Amino acid sequence: MSAAVTSARARLRGLSLAQRGALGLLMLLAVFAVAGPWVWPDPVAQDLSRFLEPPSLSEPLGRDHLGRSVAGRLASATRLSLLIAVACVATAIVAGMLAGILAAWRGGLVDTVLHGLSEAFVALPALLIVLMVSAMSGGELWTLYAGIALAQWIEYFRVVRARSALLLSGPAVEAATLLRLGPMHVLRRHLWPDLRPLLTTMATFGIGTAVLAVSTLGFVGVGVAPPTPELGQMITEAFPFYHEAPWMSVAPALVLVVVLVGLLGLRTKESAS
């Protein structure tokens, strides 16, 4: 435990000021997403007598056109978007990494089939894939998750396949093969240490892309089904009341900005290097 704490402290000390600020923004957003539902427990409860109620101490973002807590809905929507994004990226990384290593290791027909499958997905815009899957779901979360994961696994596959092919043809892996150390040794000692920084950077930007995809689908009305709170859906619902209650549409848009700026700032130094 102490070694893990020491390692975490060392990593924090190695972050630039911009990265620390970005990490702080993301942590504040995560705390809001986790703690928000405890403060505002029912984001779908309506009270029409509180139509467009202005912000107050108990309701810092006021109430929407149906008398629902905007802060409560924003916290739930933020938590939902982040959970879906992390789940999609984790699935895409596992699928893309395994398929990429398998294609580079086995070659031949396996490589041809997997490469052809990835090219077929590349031929379609990523958002179109998500849109088609989500349009058939009727707002079900699992199909939204599946659509985004399907759209994202390709980039991990292509990067891992290309990098693994170089590593597997190198002298270190050839020596391990001659010594009959086995595939797990090659994967643990030679492939994973080299692939981990690449996948970490890609995953960071992938989370931002997934959050944007979820919000875009909600904005056009084919994402999460109402009354479940979702960032893009909240922006769309608030548009007709922008002049009376501008905070209703500004708040979810600001959350998206914080997510993207935080993720971008967190990886800027590493990406540049």
Side-chain angles (χ1 to χ4, degrees), residues 18-32:
Q19 287 179 309
R20 292 183 182 182
L23 182 61
L25 282 176
L26 292 175
M27 290 181 65
L28 285 175
L29 191 64
V31 170
F32 171 69

Side-chain angles (χ1 to χ4, degrees), residues 2 22 58 64 165 170 247 263-265 267:
S2 59
S58 60
D64 66 5
W247 56 85
L263 292 173
L264 182 62
R267 308 308 304 184

Side-chain angles (χ1 to χ4, degrees), residues 80 84 138-141 144 214 217-218 221-230 233:
L80 177 65
I84 292 178
E140 295 183 13
L141 290 179
L144 181 63
V214 173
L217 292 171
V222 294
V224 178
T228 303
E230 194 280 317
Q233 178 193 108

Side-chain angles (χ1 to χ4, degrees), residues 42-54 58-59 62-70 73 227 248:
D42 194 354
V44 300
Q46 301 181 16
D47 186 356
L48 296 180
S49 65
R50 305 178 71 177
F51 172 80
L52 296 184
E53 183 179 282
S58 60
E59 293 290 346
R63 295 268 176 161
D64 66 5
H65 58 293
L66 295 177
R68 299 173 298 190
S69 170
V70 176
R73 290 180 62 77
M248 285 173 49

